[in-house]
């Protein structure tokens, strides 16, 4: 098996976060957090740094997530929990496909149906995972620098237009916490690294790469929030389906650089590809663990085909997608990316102490 490095694994997480991070500028975020939404990523980043204690404790045990489930809960319960994870993965992949296809169909190819974009994406995802996660990791090594450089370049061009007066004061800390929770649900994809522990070479470098990456993503998110809110104002943002896209459309450097919004869609598509592929790979791997299959690559096509068939039921409009995310997928992400891993961590620690105590009693 060709393994990947921890650096590549963390880079995959960074690449997949861009799309949901940009999507945060919806009526949900602007309506709940108002002009103070730019503070939310700071809270999310701090929470993730604390949660890394849990992730590192699980990773250094040299078990993948399914093996942790078996160790903490036993065979029967771990299988039940795994089935729930697989269902969540299928639904999450489907809704992300829906976001991707609707975004492309509503911004660039407005006269083409969404189905064709879903079919194309399924083909690319299956092809990229044909030899395992390592191919996706190498592709992401090429894609992530492009996403980062172009995104930073666009924010740099927009920064002079920021009106600082619209960013303060903080009106409602309760709503700000609500937006932070939404943000945490996206940052939480870092937990998916647990699924591939047995396919990662240098696990001991997790803390270093994860801390640096979390700080970088937090700072970038704050910059992006400040730029969008400070340029358009919170009240205009509430009325726009894609505020970041609308802000970027204002960039123009004379005749030299115009219509730069096409770059945003490109970045979105690249990030969507990494996001959907990585979630799919994690879910298929869990299925392989559950069925004791040595080679799970044969399940990629049926998995993504199944997800594609569910795309049409994931809301008909952008508003319905936002409501679906807020009411269903944000809570599910928090449960499967944070709560269950924490329970696994806690139960595992208790079990280790019990075993250690029994060992001492046998010695004496």
């Amino acid at each position: 098996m060709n393994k990947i490095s921890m650096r590549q694994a963390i880079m995959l997480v960074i690449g997949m976060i861009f799309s949901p991070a940009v999507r945060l500028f919806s009526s949900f975020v602007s309506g709940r957090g108002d002009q103070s939404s730019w503070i939310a990523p700071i809270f999310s980043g701090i929470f993730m740094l604390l949660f890394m204690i849990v992730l590192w404790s699980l990773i250094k045990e040299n078990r993948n997530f399914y093996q942790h489930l078996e160790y903490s809960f036993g065979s029967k319960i771990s299988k039940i929990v795994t089935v729930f994870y697989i269902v969540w993965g299928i639904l999450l992949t489907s809704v992300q496909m829906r976001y991707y296809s609707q975004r492309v169909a509503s911004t660039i190819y407005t006269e083409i149906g969404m189905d064709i974009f879903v079919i194309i994406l399924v083909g690319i995802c299956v092809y990229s995972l044909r030899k395992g996660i390592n191919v996706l990791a190498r592709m992401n090594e090429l894609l992530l620098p492009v996403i980062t450089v172009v995104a930073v370049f666009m924010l740099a061009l927009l920064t002079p237009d920021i009106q600082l007066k619209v960013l303060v004061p903080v009106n409602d800390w309760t709503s700000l916490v609500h937006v932070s929770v939404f943000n945490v649900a996206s940052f939480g994809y870092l937990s998916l690294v647990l699924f591939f522990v047995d396919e990662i070479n240098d696990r001991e470098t997790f803390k270093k790469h994860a801390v640096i990456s979390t700080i970088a993503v937090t700072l970038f998110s704050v910059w992006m929030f400040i730029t969008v809110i400070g340029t358009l104002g919170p009240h205009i943002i509430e009325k726009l389906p894609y505020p970041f896209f609308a802000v970027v459309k204002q960039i123009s450097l004379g005749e030299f650089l115009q219509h730069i919004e096409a770059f945003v869609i490109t970045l979105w598509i690249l990030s969507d590809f990494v996001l959907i592929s990585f979630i799919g790979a994690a879910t298929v791997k869990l299925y392989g663990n559950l069925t004791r299959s040595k080679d799970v690559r044969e399940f990629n096509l049926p998995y993504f085909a199944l997800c594609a068939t569910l795309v049409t039921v994931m809301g008909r409009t952008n508003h319905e997608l936002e409501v679906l995310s807020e009411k269903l997928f944000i809570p599910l992400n928090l449960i499967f990316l944070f709560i269950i891993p924490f329970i696994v961590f806690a139960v595992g620690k208790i079990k280790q102490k019990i075993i250690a105590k029994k060992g001492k009693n046998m010695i004496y």
Side-chain angles (χ1 to χ4, degrees):
M1 179 187 295
N2 293 322
K3 295 188 176 183
I4 64 175
S5 67
M6 183 58 74
R7 179 183 62 83
Q8 289 177 313
I10 300 299
M11 287 179 69
L12 278 169
V13 176
I14 297 174
M16 65 193 288
I17 285 178
F18 177 82
S19 178
V22 171
R23 199 173 62 241
L24 281 173
F25 293 108
S26 61
S27 58
F28 166 68
V29 169
S30 58
R32 297 298 180 88
D34 206 17
Q35 67 263 34
S36 57
S37 295
W38 61 272
I39 303 176
I42 299 176
F43 293 153
S44 304
I46 293 173
F47 176 84
M48 284 305 304
L49 290 174
L50 294 174
F51 190 71
M52 279 178 202
I53 298 173
V54 174
L55 295 180
W56 170 237
S57 180
L58 294 173
I59 287 174
K60 70 181 181 180
E61 294 293 333
N62 197 23
R63 302 188 189 101
N64 62 35
F65 189 63
Y66 183 79
Q67 292 168 334
H68 274 295
L69 288 174
E70 282 192 316
Y71 178 79
S72 297
F73 302 138
S75 178
K76 291 183 179 180
I77 296 179
S78 65
K79 288 179 179 179
I80 295 173
V81 174
T82 300
V83 170
F84 280 111
Y85 265 95
I86 292 172
V87 173
W88 165 69
I90 292 172
L91 295 176
L92 185 60
T93 302
S94 299
V95 78
Q96 296 296 346
M97 283 184 173
R98 182 70 171 81
Y99 270 119
Y100 145 81
S101 59
Q102 177 167 310
R103 187 182 304 123
V104 176
S106 62
T107 55
I108 300 181
Y109 302 103
T110 56
E111 297 181 359
I112 301 178
M114 291 187 294
D115 293 345
I116 186 65
F117 302 116
V118 174
I119 294 172
I120 292 173
L121 181 64
V122 167
I124 295 174
C125 290
V126 172
Y127 178 78
S128 66
L129 294 172
R130 70 193 187 284
K131 293 185 178 180
I133 192 68
N134 57 304
V135 175
L136 178 64
R138 289 199 296 268
M139 292 176 67
N140 184 68
E141 282 189 289
L142 300 176
L143 298 177
L144 184 58
V146 176
I147 294 174
T148 304
V149 170
V150 176
V152 168
F153 176 67
M154 289 188 293
L155 290 180
L157 291 177
L158 289 166
T159 297
D161 297 328
I162 295 174
Q163 301 178 47
L164 296 177
K165 62 182 180 180
V166 304
L167 299 174
V168 291
V170 177
N171 294 326
D172 188 346
W173 285 98
T174 302
S175 64
L176 186 57
V177 171
H178 198 113
V179 177
S180 299
V181 170
F182 194 102
N183 211 167
V184 164
S186 298
F187 281 26
Y189 289 124
L190 182 63
S191 296
L192 293 181
V193 173
L194 288 171
F195 292 44
F196 299 97
V197 167
D198 54 335
E199 297 185 43
I200 298 175
N201 280 316
D202 48 347
R203 292 178 292 274
E204 67 279 359
T205 64
F206 170 77
K207 285 192 294 185
K208 179 183 73 174
H209 292 304
V211 169
I212 293 173
S213 299
T214 298
I215 293 174
V217 170
T218 299
L219 293 176
F220 176 82
S221 299
V222 170
W223 188 13
M224 183 168 60
F225 270 57
I226 289 176
T227 300
V228 176
I229 298 172
T231 302
L232 291 179
H235 302 298
I236 296 179
I237 290 176
E238 291 184 73
K239 303 173 183 178
L240 298 174
Y242 304 113
F244 185 73
F245 183 74
V247 171
V248 172
K249 288 179 70 174
Q250 301 180 36
I251 297 177
S252 177
L253 298 178
E255 298 295 328
F256 173 70
L257 185 62
Q258 295 183 344
H259 303 296
I260 199 172
E261 63 271 14
F263 289 104
V264 177
I265 299 301
T266 302
L267 299 186
W268 240 333
I269 293 173
L270 294 177
S271 182
D272 282 330
F273 157 67
V274 177
L275 173 67
I276 293 167
S277 297
F278 196 50
I279 294 173
T283 308
V284 170
K285 182 175 178 62
L286 267 185
Y287 180 77
N289 293 146
L290 180 65
T291 58
R292 306 296 182 184
S293 302
K294 293 183 178 180
D295 189 357
V296 300
R297 289 175 295 181
E298 62 187 35
F299 302 125
N300 287 329
L301 180 57
Y303 173 83
F304 284 104
L306 172 61
C307 294
T309 61
L310 296 176
V311 168
T312 55
V313 303
M314 295 294 171
R316 293 170 297 178
T317 65
N318 190 59
H319 175 70
E320 289 182 358
L321 280 173
E322 289 175 3
V323 173
L324 188 64
S325 292
E326 178 184 355
K327 302 298 183 182
L328 180 61
F329 286 102
I330 296 303
L332 287 179
N333 276 16
L334 295 175
I335 292 171
F336 288 109
L337 297 176
F338 293 103
I339 296 177
I340 294 181
F342 180 79
I343 294 174
V344 169
F345 160 78
V347 173
K349 287 297 182 183
I350 294 172
K351 190 172 183 177
Q352 286 177 355
K353 289 183 178 180
I354 294 174
I355 293 174
K357 188 175 181 179
K358 287 183 178 180
K360 288 182 179 180
N361 290 337
M362 289 179 64
I363 293 174
Y364 291 109

